């Protein structure tokens, strides 16, 4: 015997899949059970009882009839003697059952049993087939979690626009209505008669427990959103579930037609009396027998009953076929859900996903309505926002406040799923930096940050409320935007009329085709920085030429060929053209009479003969020609008498011309990373020199005149070929930083002790050389 517990898994699985069984599948399952009982009952009778009973058929002899008629003798009434024993009867019964009885009468219960099992397999095959079973189990698992999730009801109430005050009014009005018996009765009748689909979701979600969603529930709902997304992508690719269900339905219809056809024709073959003729005279003495099929009457009634059930089963399958082929089951629209709940962005689905939702609707439309919440981006964004607010409390945000280089309180947020609403409670915030945050929405609540003046958006895709735009127009002073795609450039930046500094940073690939719109509205713009691959100065910059003071352009090696628009920037005081592949100093720069700082870093400058034209730039105090390929400094450099800072590092200069030191106002001179071998004694003319660097050159000796520059604070002589440091180093009383590491010194002069501002941290030298100083000098430097 098979224990009942072996069938437990089948019953549990049947309960699990019940949501995907519409009424016709449930009905046909019950019909299958009834037909199965008919088959089992017939088989049981077939096994337990005698199948057929046969008697020999014998004709009376003529002479025996005459004798009996002439002798009127009264005899006792007895049956005909057959002279057969029990074994012979059994043999005859078996032979006649096999030879004379029609096959339909013999195998009817087995046929019923086989057909019913096939019907049952066809009805549930898509639940067992590996390709469809996994999708169904996954779908039902997600569906149950979505249905029971507290976020479902919370999201519907949030998105539909109900605020807590309205909900409270509804609750209070409902509580008052409880005391009104007539109203209560009407409500009960309404609940009984109203269909499930027509019940508004607001009645369901308006529960006190749904008003609060803790962090754990929020994380579970967030995981559900991800599961639904992945499941939708997986299931919408194919239609195996739909095909499997159609095939099994078609197979059941064909099976129904076959059963009706042959059963209708053969049911009359089930007879009570059967004549049997078998060649058994040698064994029994008889060839002809008259047999009685003991279960013929019962089988005949069961067959007619079975035909009725099969007919009802087949008509149900025909209705299923009609439902399958005359409705668009591979597309599912959430239109009625969008109308009832107010969630307008719920997408329609297709293929197997749509088919399963159609099946769910036959079971209970409320399932698909609640499941739709997890297909909505609006709902997902609400959930993300709620989780963000749980995670980023105002106190936690205040702990992350730092003072930036502009002396403003700055909050930096990196790789979040959105913008926490709690930010707008940190009213002391002055600078907000958002980095790699997608789907950011800046709400009207940003107006609460009255001190906000600086905004940085690094690789952020955002939307902004019109009220927030108005606030930024009036308050924002500095805007930084870093983008991978030119579409990430916000259109509202062109409306910020009080903006003073604008920094646009694009990646090399995304910024090739960047087109800046007109900057005419930026009336107060003073600083503009562009990091891109521009081949010419954008025309839109001309719109702010009258008041722009600082222009920084950082190319990534793209050659900038058209610089004529620079001539219109007459008020520029600072100009940087970095990594623009310039081979000559652009002539347009010589028209900038107000220019004070010029940076031509990382270009391809080899000759700077045009430097003579800089003498017309009377206000030029800082010239940066570093990281180029300059081989020599022309003597015209002496014309730049106003220069205070000069950068020639990372070039190929071998000789320092004495004319260079006629620029006697120089305070900062960087000649590091070149091929210089000799420093002219004319360097002593630079009495204002405070910073001098010749690191990474080939200098062997230092002129004594260098130590007459008594204002020197930083002297970098590292990585050269020096072997002796003059005792006149003691003249540099203001020296705070001295770099000697990487030379050929054997000892340091004790006169270093007279450099009173120099301490151990400011002296960059090998430890062995430091030990050559007198002990009192060493102790003094360490103490300071």
């Amino acid at each position: 015997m098979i224990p009942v517990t072996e069938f437990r898994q089948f019953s549990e699985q049947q309960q699990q899949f019940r949501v995907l069984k519409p009424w016709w599948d449930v009905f046909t399952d019950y019909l299958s059970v009834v037909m199965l009982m008919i088959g089992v009952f017939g088989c049981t009778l077939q096994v337990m009882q005698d199948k057929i009973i046969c008697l020999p058929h014998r004709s009376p002899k003529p002479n025996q009839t005459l004798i009996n008629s002439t002798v009127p003798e009264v005899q006792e009434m007895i049956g005909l003697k057959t002279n057969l024993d029990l074994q012979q009867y059994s043999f005859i019964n078996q032979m006649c059952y096999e030879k004379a009885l029609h096959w339909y009468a013999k195998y009817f219960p087995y046929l019923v049993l086989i057909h019913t099992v096939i019907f049952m397999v066809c009805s549930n095959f898509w639940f067992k087939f590996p390709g469809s079973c996994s999708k169904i189990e996954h779908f039902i698992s997600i569906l149950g979690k979505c249905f029971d999730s507290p976020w479902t009801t919370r999201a519907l109430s949030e998105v539909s626009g109900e605020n807590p005050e309205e909900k409270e009014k509804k609750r209070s009005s409902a509580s008052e209505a409880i005391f009104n018996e007539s109203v209560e009765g009407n409500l009960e009748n309404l609940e009984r008669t109203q269909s499930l689909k027509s019940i508004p979701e607001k009645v369901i979600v308006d529960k006190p427990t749904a008003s609060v969603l803790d962090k754990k529930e929020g994380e579970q709902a967030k995981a559900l959103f991800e599961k639904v997304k992945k499941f939708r992508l997986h299931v919408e690719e194919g239609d195996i579930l739909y095909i499997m269900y159609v095939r099994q339905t078609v197979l059941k219809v064909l099976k129904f037609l076959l059963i009706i056809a042959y059963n209708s024709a053969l049911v009359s073959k089930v007879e009570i009396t059967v004549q049997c003729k078998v060649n058994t005279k040698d064994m029994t003495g008889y060839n002809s027998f008259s047999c009685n099929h003991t279960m013929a009457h019962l089988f005949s009634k069961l067959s007619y009953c079975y035909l009725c059930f099969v007919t009802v089963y087949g008509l149900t399958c025909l209705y299923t076929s009609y439902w399958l082929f005359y409705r668009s089951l591979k597309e599912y629209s959430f239109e009625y859900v969008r109308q009832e709940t107010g969630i307008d962005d719920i997408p329609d689905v297709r293929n197997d996903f749509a088919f399963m939702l159609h099946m769910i609707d036959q079971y209970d439309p409320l399932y698909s309505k609640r499941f739709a919440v997890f297909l909505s981006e609006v709902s997902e964004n609400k959930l993300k926002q709620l989780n963000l607010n749980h995670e980023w409390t105002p106190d936690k945000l205040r702990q992350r406040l730092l003072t930036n280089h502009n002396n403003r309180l700055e909050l930096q947020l990196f790789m979040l799923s959105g913008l926490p609403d709690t930010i707008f409670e940190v009213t002391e915030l002055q600078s907000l930096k958002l980095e790699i945050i997608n789907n950011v929405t800046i709400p009207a609540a940003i107006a609460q940050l009255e001190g906000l003046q600086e905004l940085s958006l690094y690789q952020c895709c955002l939307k902004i409320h019109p009220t927030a735009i108005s606030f930024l127009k009036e308050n924002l002073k500095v805007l930084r935007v870093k983008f991978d795609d030119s579409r990430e450039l916000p259109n509202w930046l062109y409306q910020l009329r009080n903006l003073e500094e604008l920094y646009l940073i694009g990646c090399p690939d995304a910024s090739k085709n960047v087109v800046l719109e007109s900057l005419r509205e930026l009336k107060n713009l003073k600083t503009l920085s562009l990091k891109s691959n521009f081949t010419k100065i954008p025309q839109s910059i001309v719109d702010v030429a009258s008041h722009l003071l600082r222009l920084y352009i950082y190319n990534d090696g793209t050659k900038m060929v058209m610089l004529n628009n620079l001539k219109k920037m007459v008020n520029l005081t600072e100009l940087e053209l970095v990594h623009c592949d310039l081979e000559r100093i652009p002539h347009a720069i010589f028209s900038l009479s107000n220019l004070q700082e010029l940076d031509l870093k990382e270009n391809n400058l080899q000759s700077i003969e045009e430097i003579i034209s800089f003498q017309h730039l009377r206000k030029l105090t800082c010239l940066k020609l570093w990281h180029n390929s300059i081989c020599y400094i022309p003597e015209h450099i002496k014309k730049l008498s106003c220069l205070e800072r000069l950068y020639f590092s990372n070039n190929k200069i071998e000789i320092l011309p004495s004319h260079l030191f006629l620029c006697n106002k120089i305070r900062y001179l960087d000649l590091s990373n070149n091929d210089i071998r000799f420093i002219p004694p004319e360097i002593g003319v630079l009495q204002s020199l405070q910073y001098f660097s010749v690191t990474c050159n080939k200098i062997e000796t230092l002129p004594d005149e260098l130590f007459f520059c008594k204002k020197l604070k930083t002297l970098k002589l590292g990585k050269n070929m020096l072997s002796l440091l003059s005792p006149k180093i003691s003249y540099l009383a203001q020296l705070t930083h001295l770099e000697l590491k990487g030379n050929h010194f054997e000892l340091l002069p004790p006169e270093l002790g007279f450099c009173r501002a120099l301490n151990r941290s400011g002296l960059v030298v090998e430890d062995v050389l430091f030990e050559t100083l007198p002990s009192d000098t060493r102790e003094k430097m360490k103490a300071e």
Side-chain angles (χ1 to χ4, degrees), residues 102 104 164 319 556:
H102 193 272
Y104 182 79
Y319 172 80
D556 291 311

Side-chain angles (χ1 to χ4, degrees), residues 611 633-640 643 646 648 653 655-666 669 671 676 680 682-683 685-686 692:
I611 203 171
I633 302 175
E635 64 177 34
H636 311 303
I637 191 74
K638 64 183 179 182
K639 302 288 186 180
L640 308 182
L643 276 182
L646 184 58
F648 271 116
I653 301 171
I655 300 175
L656 287 180
S658 58
H659 307 286
L660 171 63
F661 305 106
L662 295 178
C663 303
N664 54 16
K665 291 184 179 180
I666 290 180
L669 180 58
L671 298 168
I676 301 171
E682 286 81 2
I683 192 173
V685 177
L686 303 180
F692 182 58

Side-chain angles (χ1 to χ4, degrees), residues 576-627:
E576 292 185 11
L577 300 175
V578 178
H579 210 176
C580 297
D581 196 26
L582 299 176
E583 296 178 358
R584 313 287 291 188
I585 298 176
H587 290 277
I589 297 177
F590 307 139
S591 302
L592 306 178
S593 58
N594 290 310
L595 196 63
Q596 298 177 12
E597 294 186 17
L598 175 62
D599 189 351
L600 299 178
K601 182 182 178 182
E602 294 181 350
N603 283 285
N604 195 24
L605 298 176
Q606 297 180 4
S607 173
I608 54 172
E609 291 293 340
E610 301 87 354
I611 203 171
I612 189 174
S613 298
F614 283 150
Q615 62 182 323
H616 304 297
L617 306 182
R618 302 296 183 184
K619 297 181 180 180
L620 186 64
T621 59
C622 178
L623 179 59
K624 298 180 180 180
L625 299 174
W626 47 351
H627 295 271

Side-chain angles (χ1 to χ4, degrees), residues 430-472:
Q430 295 174 310
S431 175
L432 178 60
K433 185 177 182 180
L434 307 177
E435 190 167 356
I436 314 180
I437 302 178
N438 295 321
N439 300 320
V440 177
T441 300
I442 299 181
I446 196 173
Q448 300 175 19
L449 305 178
E450 297 179 356
L452 184 66
Q453 296 182 351
E454 189 172 335
L455 179 62
S456 300
L457 305 173
Y458 287 3
Q459 296 174 327
C460 296
C461 182
L462 58 82
K463 300 177 183 177
I464 188 166
H465 193 274
T467 306
I469 295 178
S470 301
F471 170 78
L472 295 178

